[in-house]
Every structure is written in structure tokens, then in C-alpha cells.
């Protein structure tokens, strides 16, 4: 088929309507010591010491910033264990034994409206860094960096597109906690002294549009509006979203703030609300466990640090035992496939997807051009693949694979079932050399 | 049940190579049916010989390329055949079948003496599949359309013995007629473009449209080809850009040519020239089934528009001023040769840059100039 991929078979119509199940916090909670962006950590507590909910128990170090580690239960710190992290690496996790009291750290008192009114953009940077606020859509990009400039912002975009199939975490958050989302948005308006806010949702989600249309009636002249945009993949890519919502074309490599735009994932906005207003770190998140290898796909509200196997149990476990499974944290297009289900829900795990393995046979490329038509970054994946096969560094560099956002659409559309994205990833390595 | 690791993305579009090949075969069906109804045994023979030869050649190439396990033991030919057969997929059957069907459809029904058509079919399809495709590495690696290579080789070797006949269902069979491409191109060879004055004396436009005229067996019936085109477009088995660029460019340039011909040569009419050129010969067949072979065309959308432009320009130049009647097939081969150049990494982009638009406009202007001057000179030479 010679055709641009406009949308990917959507399987979340029903899942989005399923109610959120608040999962009981398990007896043992696991907190990662390093993650995709931070590779070193200091631990502030000793083995056997009691920790409180929300307490800072360590500090992760990344090349350009530090990120505190927060306890997500109250209980005892008992040591380290190795489990799989969302990034696909085996990582040391701190083990906290839950005492089921959920006792908050007494120093974390909510801020009054008067205090919040006095906060400046610099204060936001400080608080968000303290509360380790990161992009909860999956990128784990430190949120405070987006505040840490003095560029004038004229539009704030709230990314609630969730363009990957299967995931419904943001969808449930939007439906369950509209008041927190709106409060979070108001904080953003204050921080950037900007009136116009657009909540970007897929135009096919009538329920979200109706709910927010109704809810926003309570806030006349707030400047907040719901902006239905395209249903295609990857509409959730920030540059694609900015273009659809505002018409501004931000070139790759430039920051949206240079064009007067700030964009945040909707879960991040809720996290910002918790950090600024409640003075708390993010300790729980929405996570959908789904896929055709799961008995009962469900939406969960889970404590950060819950083992995924615990959630799988709640879903009725695996079905089709005769088929091999692909176990994915994150979306099925960009998420990481793990070699084992021994992994932990961290702050940025939006979903856990179990798919039955489908064996495909790779055929020779017939240059149909579907990958070139579909590429959102206007690259030529097929030509990059040929250049990688020929190990022609000059050609690879000219074809500019570093622009690739690894959305995976080239592999998705390939008529010959070639894993084109893998070749482009290899091209990126060549291009960096 | 085990958990397996694979790289992202984990979803695939419901699509396959076999589906694409099958679509082309289904789209060829109306043309094949019309050919068999119209030409009977001649069509069956034309279709069977190249298909069989091409499929067999593909199998033998796989047999040759399959290495025997190098473990010190002796392995016989039987084992080799077994090993090759396990590598043989449905695609290795469908791809040469398509080439074979197209090859058969662009060959004439008869020859004088009749033995030559058999020799032409065998030699042409062998040359087409081996030199046109297998030596490059098989499916996906060929530069030229194998059917076109085979057809041109056979034409160059045995062309003088070809006899182009009309289908059986034509009431008055003009025995020994020539292919329409021939009528248009060279029936009045040596007198340039003046033959346009005698258009419409033998066949009406409706005859051309229904296939009521002599030609190679597949190209005569335009309705069948249009049905195939619609099917291919609905199934997205071909890129509409190429078809549109090719036929569109041909039409625009033809309008220029027809205008200058009808103004400079007495007895010619603008409408007739356009109608005849658009409906005659292999223009439509080539545009739908041969030019759109994705393997031999550029990969970017702007590249495909340039590709269609190049093919259309060459077709028209050959038809207006050339000595050979097979303008379409030659233009397809020449455009195939240019495709890798269009795809060269230093300038191929998926975006229509301003430079590309300007270049395309310049190329159009040049072609219009060349055609106008060419027609004027050629008309003067006759006068």
C-alpha cells in the first residue's frame, strides 16, 4: 500500500470509558535510584530508618540538574533490589516497606492563595525542582527547565492528545480530576503571566470536549479553551501539536518558548498543581494496563513504585498462554519492550501493554515510499536505511537522521515489514560520530 | 509463554507485499480477459510463455543463490532444491508473474512467419527477467522495468516480423494493420508531423476507446485499463502522483503541440490530435501498469512528479519526432534510468521546496519551446 499513515488502529475507545480502579498500595514499594536522564544518586537515609510519605530520601544527579528522590509511602527503608526500569535497563531500586499509615511529612504544608500570589517565575523553578516535577507524558523532561527562562509566552498549550493507541492514562485523569487540571492551568497562567490557554485533545474524543466545555463554564473569562486537533499519529509530538493548535511552525531544534509558546502534558499540569499548591511531590499516577495478551484491560490509579506484576494480577493475568508475549512500558509505538515483567511503575510509566507476539517475515524493500510519505519529520527513512546498509557516512549525515523523533511510523507502515526505525536509530549513531 | 524483547514500534499496519502484488494482478485481470476474448489462443500463448519463463528464472536464480551448508558433509542437488524451495515465498511467484503478464500484454498477437512470435516471446522474457531484474539482485533491486526491457529487446531483434492485428470482436478486421502507435508515429515516415492531417480516416475515437483497432494485445481496450486504474487507485497499490504527473504533463504538452500543428499545417484539427494521441498506443497501459512499478521509480513525492514529467516529455518527443513507434516503453526505460539521479541524496527531499517548483516550471517552459519550434520546423520542412 502506498499511503500515508493517517491514524493507527485505535483500541482505546472502550478502555477510556472504563472507570479508574484505585489500587491498594502494596506492602513493598520500589523507588528507582537512577533513571533515563540521571545516572548517579546519593541516598540520605540509612537501612532500617523510618521514612515519611513525601520525604526527600535521596538525590539523583544528571549532567545539568539534580533531582530529589521522594518516598511514596510511609514506612521503613530496608535496602536495595534490582529490577527493570522503564528505560529497559536493570537498575537499583530502593525498597520501602509500607506501614499502610500514609503519614505525610509534616513539613509539607499546603500553600495559601496569598503565598501563591507572591510566587515569581524563579520561585516556580525552585519549587518544581525541589518536588522533582518531570514531564509525566513519558518524556521525563524536567519541568522546571521550561520555566527557567524569561522569554515572553503568549500561549500555553496543554497536551492531552495522547496520540499513541492503547494508552488512556491522560484520558482518565482528564475525566476524573478536571478541577485539579484547571487549578494547575491557573498556576501556569500566573507563572507565565499569560492569558491564553488551549487544552489540546483529539477531535474524536467528544466526551472530553463535552466535560470540559461544561466545566469551563464555571470559569468565565479564564482564557482557557478546549482545542480539538487532529486524530492522527504522532499528533502528540509537541511540534505537530503546536502547528495544529496555533498554526506556528516551530523548526526542529528550536525551543517552543522562542516562539512564545509553552506546552505541558496534562498529567504534568496536575503534578505542578500538587507541587505548588499542595506542596507535595507526585506520589501516584494513572496507568492503563492493556493489550490483547491481558485478560481484563483496566485503568489504575497506582502509587509510584508499585511492581507491575502486582497490577497484572489485578487484571486477571495473561491470556493466550500458547503465544509469546511482548511486554511494553509506555505506548506500543515508542515504548520500551522489556525482557521480563519484573519492573516497576515509575512516575513516567503511562501504561503497561502486553501484546501477543506477531512474527513477521522481512521482505526486500520495494521502495513503495510509504515511510517517506508518513514521516512527520520529513525524512526519507528508506534512503537512510540504504545509506546505513552501505555504511556511507557522508550520505547518512546529509540525510539528517538526527531529526528523527523515533515515532516508529516508518516501521509501522512498511509494506515489506522491515524494521526501518532500527536502521534510522543506527544512522543516528553514525551521524553523531 | 515467554516474554520476548523487540524494538519499538510494536504495531504493524495490516498490509503486505503479497497484497500489493495481488492487487496488481487483479487490476490486470480485465485487460487479460479482454485480450483472451479478443485474440483467443494468441493471447493465451502470449501470457503463458513469458509468465512461465519468468517464474522459472526466478526459481533458478534462488536455487543458484542458495548456498549449501558448509559443514564438511556432501550435499546433493536434491537437498539444494529442498533448501531453495523453503526460501521460495508467494512473493517470488507473484512478482515474476506480474512481469510475465505485462510482457505478454505488450507483445503483438501475430508475426510473419508465425514462428517468430514464439522466439520473440522466449528470448524477450529471458532477457527481460535476467538482464532487467535478476542480475541486479531480484525483487526490489532492479533499475529497469523487466517487462519493458524484455519487450524492447524482442522488438529490436524481431520487430520487422511483427504483425499488429485487431481483436476478433472487431467487425471489419484490418488484416496486416499496424499498431496505432505506429500509425501515429511513422505511418508517413519521412514527412514529419504532416500525418496528423489523415487522422480519423481509419478509426474513430470511439473505436480507439473500445479497442476496435489494431495494436499489441493488452493496450487496445481502454475501458479495461481504466477499470484496472480505478481498482489500483482505490487499493492504493500505485502512487497517483506518477499517473497524474505523467498523463497531466503529456496532456499539457500535447495541447501545445496540437495548437502549433493545427495552426501551421492545413487539414489538421486540434481536438482530433489530442483525442488520438491520448487514446492511441500504449500510453494508458504504460501509465497504469508499467510506469507505476514502485521499485523503478523515485521514492519522494516531488521526485515522482519529476519522474512523470520526464517520462511524459520523452513519450511526446518520440511520438512527434522519433523514428520508433514504442514511445511509451522507451520513455519508461529512460525515466527508469533517471530515477536514481532524481533520488540522489544531495537534493532529494520530501518537501516541495521553492527551488523544485522553479525547476519544474523551467523544465515545462523548455519543453514547450522545444515542441513548438520542433513542430514549426518539421512542418516547414514538409512544405
Amino acid at each position: 500500500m502506498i499511503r500515508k499513515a493517517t491514524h493507527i488502529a485505535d483500541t482505546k475507545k472502550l478502555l477510556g470509558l472504563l472507570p479508574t480502579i484505585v489500587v491498594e498500595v502494596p506492602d513493598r514499594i520500589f523507588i528507582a535510584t537512577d533513571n533515563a536522564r540521571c545516572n548517579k544518586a546519593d541516598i540520605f537515609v540509612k537501612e532500617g530508618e523510618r521514612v515519611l510519605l513525601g520525604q526527600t530520601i535521596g538525590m539523583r544527579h544528571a549532567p545539568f540538574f539534580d533531582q530529589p528522590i521522594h518516598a511514596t509511602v510511609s514506612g521503613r527503608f530496608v535496602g536495595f533490589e534490582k529490577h527493570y526500569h522503564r528505560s529497559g535497563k536493570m537498575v537499583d531500586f530502593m525498597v520501602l516497606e509500607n506501614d499502610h499509615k500514609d503519614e505525610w511529612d509534616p513539613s509539607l504544608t499546603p500553600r495559601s492563595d496569598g503565598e501563591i500570589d507572591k510566587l515569581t517565575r524563579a520561585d516556580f523553578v525552585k519549587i518544581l525542582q525541589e518536588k522533582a516535577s518531570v514531564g509525566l507524558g513519558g518524556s521525563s523532561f524536567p519541568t522546571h527547565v521550561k520555566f527557567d527562562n524569561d522569554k515572553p509566552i503568549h500561549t500555553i498549550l496543554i497536551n492531552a492528545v495522547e496520540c499513541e493507541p492503547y494508552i488512556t492514562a491522560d484520558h482518565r485523569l482528564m475525566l476524573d480530576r478536571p478541577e485539579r487540571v484547571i487549578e494547575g492551568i491557573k498556576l501556569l497562567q500566573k507563572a507565565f503571566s499569560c492569558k491564553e490557554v488551549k487544552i489540546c485533545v483529539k477531535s474524536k474524543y467528544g466526551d472530553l470536549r463535552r466535560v470540559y466545555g461544561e466545566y469551563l463554564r464555571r470559569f468565565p473569562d479564564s482564557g482557557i479553551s478546549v482545542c480539538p486537533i487532529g486524530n492522527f499519529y504522532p499528533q502528540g509530538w509537541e511540534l505537530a501539536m503546536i502547528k495544529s493548535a496555533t498554526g506556528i511552525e516551530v523548526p526542529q531544534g528550536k525551543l517552543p518558548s522562542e516562539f512564545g509558546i509553552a506546552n505541558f502534558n496534562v498529567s504534568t499540569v496536575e503534578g505542578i498543581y500538587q507541587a505548588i499548591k499542595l506542596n507535595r511531590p507526585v506520589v501516584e499516577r494513572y496507568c492503563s494496563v492493556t493489550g490483547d495478551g491481558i485478560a481484563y484491560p483496566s485503568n489504575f490509579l497506582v502509587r509510584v513504585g508499585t511492581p507491575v506484576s502486582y497490577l497484572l494480577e489485578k487484571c486477571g493475568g495473561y491470556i493466550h498462554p500458547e503465544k509469546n508475549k511482548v511486554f511494553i512500558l509506555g505506548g506500543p509505538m515508542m515504548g520500551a519492550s522489556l525482557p521480563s515483567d519484573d519492573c516497576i511503575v515509575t512516575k513516567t510509566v503511562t501504561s503497561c501493554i502486553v501484546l501477543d507476539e506477531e512474527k513477521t517475515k522481512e521482505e526486500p524493500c520495494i521502495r513503495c515510499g510509504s515511510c517517506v510519505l508518513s514521516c512527520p519529520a520529513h525524512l526519507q527513512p528508506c534512503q537512510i536505511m540504504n545509506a546505513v546498509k552501505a555504511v556511507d557516512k557522508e550520505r547518512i549525515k546529509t540525510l539528517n537522521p538526527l531529526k528523527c523523533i523515533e515515532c516508529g511510523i516508518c516501521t509501522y507502515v512498511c509494506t515489506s515489514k522491515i524494521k526501518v526505525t532500527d536502521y534510522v536509530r543506527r544512522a543516528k549513531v553514525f551521524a553523531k560520530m | 509463554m515467554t516474554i520476548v524483547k523487540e524494538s519499538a514500534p510494536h504495531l504493524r499496519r495490516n498490509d503486505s507485499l503479497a497484497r500489493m502484488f495481488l492487487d496488481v494482478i487483479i487490476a490486470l485481470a480485465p485487460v487479460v480477459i479482454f485480450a483472451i476474448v479478443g485474440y483467443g489462443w494468441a493471447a493465451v500463448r502470449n501470457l503463458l510463455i513469458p509468465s512461465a519463463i519468468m517464474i522459472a528464472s526466478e526459481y533458478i536464480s534462488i536455487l543458484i543463490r542458495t548456498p549449501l551448508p558448509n559443514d564438511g558433509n556432501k550435499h546433493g542437488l536434491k537437498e539444494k532444491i529442498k533448501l531453495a524451495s523453503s526460501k521460495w515465498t508467494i512473493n517470488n511467484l507473484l512478482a515474476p508473474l506480474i512481469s510475465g503478464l505485462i510482457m505478454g500484454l505488450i507483445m503483438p498477437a501475430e508475426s510473419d512467419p508465425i514462428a517468430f512470435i514464439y522466439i520473440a516471446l522466449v528470448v524477450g522474457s529471458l532477457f527481460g527477467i535476467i538482464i532487467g531484474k535478476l542480475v541486479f539482485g531480484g525483487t526490489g533491486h532492479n533499475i529497469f522495468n523487466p517487462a519493458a526491457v524484455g519487450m524492447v529487446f524482442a522488438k529490436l531483434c524481431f520487430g520487422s516480423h511483427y504483425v499488429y492485428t485487431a481483436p476478433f470482436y472487431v467487425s471489419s478486421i484490418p488484416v496486416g494493420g499496424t499498431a496505432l502507435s505506429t500509425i501515429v508515429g511513422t505511418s508517413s515516415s519521412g514527412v514529419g508531423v504532416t500525418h496528423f492531417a489523415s487522422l480519423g480516416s481509419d478509426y474513430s475515437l470511439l473505436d480507439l476507446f473500445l479497442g476496435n483497432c489494431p495494436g499489441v494485445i493488452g493496450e487496445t481496450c481502454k475501458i479495461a485499463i481504466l477499470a484496472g486504474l480505478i481498482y489500483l487507485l482505490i487499493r492504493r497499490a500505485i502512487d497517483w502522483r506518477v499517473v497524474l504527473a505523467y498523463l497531466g504533463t503529456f496532456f499539457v504538452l500535447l495541447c501545445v503541440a496540437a495548437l502549433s500543428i493545427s495552426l501551421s499545417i492545413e487539414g489538421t484539427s486540434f481536438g482530433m490530435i489530442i483525442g488520438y494521441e491520448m487514446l492511441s498506443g500504449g500510453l494508458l497501459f504504460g501509465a497504469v501498469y508499467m510506469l507505476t512499478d514502485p521499485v523503478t521509480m523515485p521514492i519522494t513525492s516531488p521526485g515522482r512528479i519529476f519522474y512523470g514529467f520526464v517520462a511524459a516529455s520523452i513519450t511526446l518527443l518520440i511520438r512527434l519526432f522519433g523514428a520508433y513507434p514504442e514511445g511509451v516503453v522507451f520513455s519508461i526505460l529512460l525515466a527508469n534510468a533517471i530515477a536514481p539521479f532524481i533520488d540522489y541524496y544531495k537534493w532529494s527531499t520530501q518537501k516541495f521546496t521553492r527551488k523544485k517548483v522553479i525547476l519544474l516550471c523551467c523544465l515545462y517552459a523548455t519543453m514547450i519551446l522545444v515542441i513548438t519550434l520542433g513542430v514549426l520546423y518539421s512542418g516547414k520542412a514538409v512544405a
Side-chain angles (χ1 to χ4, degrees):
Chain A
M1 202 169 6
I2 302 177
R3 183 178 202 170
K4 185 174 174 164
T6 45
H7 70 283
I8 290 175
D10 202 351
T11 45
K12 57 188 184 190
K13 217 168 183 177
L14 178 67
L15 193 68
L17 297 176
L18 289 179
T20 314
I21 300 168
V22 183
V23 194
E24 201 187 322
V25 186
D27 294 335
R28 279 149 60 87
I29 280 285
F30 303 86
I31 311 288
T33 54
D34 45 353
N35 60 24
R37 290 181 193 268
C38 314
N39 45 21
K40 260 193 347 213
D42 295 323
I43 308 299
F44 300 159
V45 288
K46 289 193 202 71
E47 259 177 60
E49 205 175 309
R50 183 173 152 79
V51 296
L52 294 173
L53 184 53
Q55 186 188 334
T56 307
I57 54 173
M59 186 71 82
R60 297 186 194 110
H61 300 292
F64 301 107
F65 61 95
D66 291 339
Q67 189 177 60
I69 307 173
H70 299 285
T72 57
V73 286
S74 60
R76 234 155 37 83
F77 165 55
V78 292
F80 294 96
E81 261 180 42
K82 274 201 185 294
H83 293 284
Y84 280 102
H85 184 260
R86 178 194 129 84
S87 55
K89 282 185 294 191
M90 198 68 141
V91 160
D92 275 327
F93 281 84
M94 299 171 73
V95 184
L96 304 182
E97 243 171 30
N98 186 4
D99 60 8
H100 296 282
K101 286 184 193 141
D102 276 356
E103 201 178 317
W104 279 94
D105 188 338
S107 64
L108 305 178
T109 47
R111 287 190 178 81
S112 66
D113 288 346
E115 278 177 287
I116 290 173
D117 276 340
K118 282 184 210 138
L119 294 178
T120 60
R121 201 143 138 182
D123 294 326
F124 268 79
V125 174
K126 206 169 135 259
I127 296 168
L128 292 175
Q129 189 161 14
E130 258 167 37
K131 295 288 172 259
S133 183
V134 295
L136 297 181
S139 70
S140 75
F141 183 78
T143 313
H144 67 84
V145 176
K146 293 193 180 179
F147 288 80
D148 203 358
N149 58 54
D150 47 9
K151 301 246 163 53
I153 300 292
H154 58 75
T155 312
I156 298 171
L157 297 180
I158 307 300
N159 189 344
V161 178
E162 215 170 32
C163 62
E164 287 218 42
Y166 287 103
I167 311 180
T168 49
D170 288 352
H171 196 132
R172 284 315 307 175
L173 171 85
M174 297 270 292
L175 290 180
D176 290 356
R177 294 180 163 171
E179 75 293 345
R180 284 195 175 193
V181 172
I182 302 294
E183 287 303 319
I185 290 172
K186 284 185 172 167
L187 291 174
L188 290 178
Q189 286 176 317
K190 212 163 281 168
F192 291 109
S193 19
C194 152
K195 184 121 169 87
E196 195 177 356
V197 179
K198 285 180 176 170
I199 305 173
C200 302
V201 296
K202 275 189 185 174
S203 54
K204 67 178 170 190
Y205 290 150
D207 52 347
L208 289 181
R209 276 158 54 200
R210 282 197 297 275
V211 166
Y212 277 78
E214 169 59 32
Y215 201 80
L216 285 172
R217 281 203 306 129
R218 283 146 226 232
F219 306 96
D221 304 324
S222 62
I224 307 171
S225 60
V226 177
C227 173
I229 53 175
N231 292 323
F232 63 89
Y233 178 86
Q235 174 72 86
W237 178 34
E238 60 177 20
L239 302 190
M241 186 189 73
I242 291 169
K243 195 179 169 210
S244 301
T246 64
I248 296 170
E249 216 167 318
V250 181
Q252 267 182 288
K254 288 265 180 357
L255 290 173
S257 60
E258 292 173 35
F259 294 80
I261 291 165
N263 58 320
F264 296 92
N265 181 276
V266 64
S267 310
T268 316
V269 172
E270 200 247 10
I272 291 170
Y273 167 77
Q274 291 192 33
I276 304 290
K277 174 75 188 154
L278 305 179
N279 200 9
R280 285 173 182 177
V282 172
V283 295
E284 54 185 14
R285 73 151 299 124
Y286 283 82
C287 177
S288 19
V289 180
T290 172
D292 41 17
I294 286 282
Y296 309 112
S298 320
N299 298 305
F300 291 117
L301 180 61
V302 299
R303 199 55 71 85
V304 171
T306 307
V308 171
S309 46
Y310 182 78
L311 296 179
L312 289 175
E313 249 169 63
K314 305 259 170 204
C315 292
Y318 299 113
I319 47 168
H320 311 307
E322 73 284 358
K323 284 182 189 157
N324 285 343
K325 301 278 184 272
V326 182
F327 185 86
I328 308 152
L329 287 191
M333 296 299 283
M334 296 182 72
S337 148
L338 300 187
S340 151
D341 57 7
D342 170 32
C343 53
I344 310 296
V345 176
T346 57
K347 249 190 246 181
T348 50
V349 174
T350 50
S351 66
C352 159
I353 294 164
V354 180
L355 298 175
D356 291 331
E357 189 199 14
E358 268 176 59
K359 287 213 170 71
T360 50
K361 193 171 172 295
E362 212 168 274
E363 300 284 347
C365 170
I366 55 158
R367 300 158 51 78
C368 66
S370 292
C371 53
V372 181
L373 280 175
S374 303
C375 182
H378 303 292
L379 296 175
Q380 299 157 57
C382 164
Q383 300 244 61
I384 294 175
M385 176 180 84
N386 290 335
V388 169
K389 280 182 179 167
V391 205
D392 185 343
K393 268 186 211 157
E394 195 205 326
R395 196 155 105 209
I396 292 173
K397 270 184 194 154
T398 318
L399 291 169
N400 214 349
L402 292 177
K403 269 187 167 182
C404 169
I405 56 165
E406 297 192 25
C407 65
I409 200 99
C410 43
T411 302
Y412 174 78
V413 298
C414 185
T415 309
S416 305
K417 307 282 175 205
I418 301 170
K419 289 226 151 199
V420 190
T421 318
D422 287 4
Y423 285 101
V424 182
R425 284 191 194 112
R426 270 160 65 188
K428 282 179 157 182
V429 178
F430 277 120
K432 275 179 198 157
M433 280 198 299
Chain B
M1 184 202 89
T2 49
I3 291 178
V4 289
K5 198 171 166 1
E6 64 173 33
S7 55
H10 311 283
L11 298 179
R12 299 301 187 84
R13 182 154 77 178
N14 183 16
D15 189 12
S16 72
L17 216 52
R19 179 201 131 134
M20 209 153 147
F21 287 149
L22 218 55
D23 278 343
V24 177
I25 290 177
I26 293 171
L28 276 169
V31 184
V32 168
I33 291 167
F34 267 93
I36 292 175
V37 169
Y39 295 92
W41 162 245
V44 176
R45 163 251 285 157
N46 261 17
L47 294 168
L48 276 184
I49 294 176
S51 308
I53 287 177
M54 287 192 175
I55 292 171
S57 307
E58 178 103 5
Y59 183 79
I60 291 168
S61 87
I62 288 182
L63 195 68
I64 293 169
R65 278 185 294 165
T66 309
L68 278 170
N70 190 9
D71 52 4
N73 301 332
K74 259 202 152 182
H75 297 279
L77 184 66
K78 233 181 199 173
E79 220 169 315
K80 191 158 182 168
I81 291 176
K82 218 178 189 178
L83 216 66
S85 305
S86 68
K87 281 194 178 177
W88 175 266
T89 61
I90 180 87
N91 300 325
N92 294 114
L93 175 75
L94 294 178
L97 179 63
I98 293 172
S99 299
L101 289 179
I102 293 177
M103 167 88 195
L105 288 172
I106 52 177
M107 294 290 279
E110 307 293 338
S111 70
D112 177 35
I114 191 74
F116 270 106
I117 191 69
Y118 287 93
I119 301 172
L121 281 171
V122 172
V123 172
S125 41
L126 269 178
F127 189 88
I129 191 80
I130 293 173
I131 305 298
K133 182 173 173 188
L134 294 178
V135 292
F136 292 103
T139 309
H141 302 286
N142 46 320
I143 299 173
F144 298 106
N145 188 319
V149 171
M151 187 272 198
V152 167
F153 184 71
K155 171 79 184 178
L156 292 178
C157 295
F158 310 102
S160 62
H161 297 280
Y162 283 5
V163 177
Y164 297 96
T165 51
F168 288 151
Y169 56 76
V170 177
S171 45
S172 58
I173 308 163
V175 182
T178 43
L180 255 171
S181 39
T182 323
I183 299 175
V184 172
T186 56
S187 66
S188 36
S189 50
V191 285
V193 289
T194 42
H195 65 273
F196 285 110
S198 59
L199 282 181
S201 52
D202 295 336
Y203 311 99
S204 69
L205 283 178
L206 190 68
D207 284 338
L208 292 182
F209 189 67
L210 296 175
N212 196 359
C213 56
V216 302
I217 66 169
E219 72 185 15
T220 48
C221 183
K222 305 299 179 296
I223 300 176
I225 298 171
L226 285 177
L229 173 67
I230 289 166
Y231 179 79
L232 287 171
L233 287 178
I234 289 173
R235 296 282 288 174
R236 302 283 190 133
I238 59 174
D239 197 332
W240 55 270
R241 292 172 188 83
V242 174
V243 183
L244 189 74
Y246 181 71
L247 293 178
T249 307
F250 189 83
F251 182 76
V252 169
L253 295 181
L254 181 64
C255 285
V256 175
L259 197 67
S260 38
I261 290 171
S262 56
L263 287 180
S264 62
I265 299 168
E266 298 241 336
T268 54
S269 95
F270 180 76
M272 283 299 257
I273 295 172
I274 292 198
Y276 271 81
E277 284 289 345
M278 292 303 287
L279 288 176
S280 68
L283 183 80
L284 214 53
F285 186 88
V288 173
Y289 297 109
M290 295 168 76
L291 198 70
T292 52
D293 174 9
V295 179
T296 54
M297 67 187 183
I299 195 152
T300 58
S301 305
R304 286 176 177 178
I305 303 235
F306 275 98
Y307 175 73
F309 168 83
V310 168
S313 311
I314 297 173
T315 309
L316 192 64
L317 286 181
I318 293 178
R319 281 197 172 184
L320 285 177
F321 313 116
Y324 276 95
E326 273 82 8
V328 174
V329 179
F330 280 118
S331 73
I332 288 171
L333 283 179
L334 290 171
N336 285 168
I338 289 171
F341 171 77
I342 298 175
D343 259 353
Y344 190 56
Y345 69 91
K346 288 212 170 137
W347 48 71
S348 79
T349 54
Q350 175 61 13
K351 272 188 186 162
F352 275 98
T353 54
R354 187 173 293 165
K355 259 187 205 164
K356 285 190 179 175
V357 175
I358 292 171
L359 180 64
L360 194 62
C361 293
C362 291
L363 285 174
Y364 260 107
T366 317
M367 276 310 297
I368 288 170
L369 197 70
V370 166
I371 287 169
T372 323
L373 288 179
V375 167
L376 289 180
Y377 273 108
S378 141
K380 276 218 182 91
V382 177

